[in-house]
Amino acid sequence: MTANPRPSTVVLVPGLSGSPDDFAFVHPMLARRGRVVTVDLSTEAAGVSFDAQVEHVRRTIDDLADQRRQPDGGIGEQEDDGAHPIVLVGSSFGALVATAVAAADPRVTGLVLLGGWLAPDDRLRGAFDHLLAVRERTSDLLDAVARLLLLSPSASSGATPPLLPAGELTARRLAWARSADLRHVQVTAPVLVVTGRADALVSPALSQELVGTFDDIRHAELDTGHALLAERPAEVLSLVEAFVDGRLAQGPVQAAQV
């Protein structure tokens, strides 16, 4: 991925919670260098099907293009003279959504997948089934069980916002994540895949399948579980910034060297 003369707009797509809070650290830090938008998938306004949530992200990109054509679009008052690059960053379930958008929308010039996969295996489906069963029977325990699955054993035990709220839309996202299959999609944009070495949700085989799917690929591993943004937000930020700036060569990436 080479540096683009136009500044990229970064669109952040949250994970199973659907909440912009997933990017509470990363968003303001990225905003120091350019335009950043975090999509909110946590309400019915974002759609009540997987395809509708994909379309919601595409509408967000449409809105950004419309704003650039406005004299008071908030990015500056320069005249718009063409498409501006969009870098999508998707976490967990949001990585599925971002992949689907990138495959269908040529305006996406870069794709970052945090703890992503293309289609679930038996292990991942079983984990989602377990979370759905806990939500159905004892919803007050859902977040505690989710933490056991999503965080590494070395993760801080301090108080943090819920990783997995017990609402109806959370259940729908778990069901969509359980069944969505994107192994047929084609993404031509450069891709950065970031995985957790202690991810108890997404198996190494699924991560390897993801890395092997794209032609223009970079791959980094962090010492974390599935919830990379909760455990290693600063390292994720450094990788995303380097990718957006075109500073990552193809192949394995050492996060500590970014």
Side-chain angles (χ1 to χ4, degrees):
M1 184 175 181
T2 58
N4 195 306
R6 294 177 179 274
S8 297
T9 295
V10 180
V11 178
L12 307 174
V13 187
L16 289 166
S17 74
S19 171
D21 291 344
D22 287 4
F23 291 98
F25 175 86
V26 170
H27 182 131
M29 300 299 283
L30 281 175
R32 299 175 304 170
R33 59 176 307 286
R35 186 79 183 275
V36 182
V37 175
T38 301
V39 182
D40 187 352
L41 298 180
S42 66
T43 71
E44 291 198 2
V48 292
S49 70
F50 177 76
D51 289 343
Q53 299 225 317
V54 170
E55 185 58 30
H56 181 71
V57 176
R58 294 194 69 183
R59 286 198 306 271
T60 299
I61 296 174
D62 291 340
D63 291 343
L64 289 169
D66 290 342
Q67 290 170 15
R68 283 198 177 272
R69 287 191 286 268
Q70 304 279 336
D72 58 349
I75 308 174
E77 298 188 358
Q78 71 270 27
E79 181 179 350
D80 185 79
D81 56 355
H84 289 251
I86 298 288
V87 175
L88 281 180
V89 181
S91 174
S92 186
F93 170 78
L96 279 174
V97 175
T99 300
V101 173
D105 198 323
R107 294 171 294 183
V108 177
T109 59
L111 178 64
V112 181
L113 305 176
L114 310 174
W117 66 92
L118 293 171
D121 57 8
D122 289 342
R123 167 178 163 178
L124 187 52
R125 278 190 293 268
F128 290 143
D129 286 344
H130 184 63
L131 289 169
L132 284 165
V134 171
R135 179 195 171 273
E136 180 67 24
R137 297 169 188 169
T138 51
S139 60
D140 57 323
L141 294 179
L142 178 60
D143 188 59
V145 174
R147 287 173 185 276
L148 293 175
L149 287 172
L150 302 181
L151 297 176
S152 69
S154 60
S156 170
S157 59
T160 59
L163 293 179
L164 203 59
E168 176 60 29
L169 281 176
T170 296
R172 292 178 183 178
R173 272 187 295 277
L174 288 168
W176 301 333
R178 187 193 185 286
S179 60
D181 187 340
L182 299 184
R183 288 174 293 185
H184 63 286
V185 304
Q186 293 186 343
V187 175
T188 59
V191 179
L192 168 64
V193 171
V194 186
T195 58
R197 291 189 180 93
D199 193 332
L201 201 65
V202 179
S203 67
L206 287 186
S207 295
Q208 291 165 10
E209 179 184 48
L210 189 67
V211 170
T213 293
F214 307 108
D215 294 329
D216 193 350
I217 184 72
R218 299 120 185 89
H219 176 218
E221 282 189 332
L222 301 181
D223 289 322
T224 177
H226 184 70
L228 292 97
L229 289 165
E231 292 193 59
R232 294 288 188 270
E235 291 177 58
V236 171
L237 172 68
S238 68
L239 287 165
V240 173
E241 287 183 325
F243 179 76
V244 172
D245 292 342
R247 293 187 278 113
L248 296 185
Q250 293 187 41
V253 175
Q254 297 297 322
Q257 300 174 3
V258 173

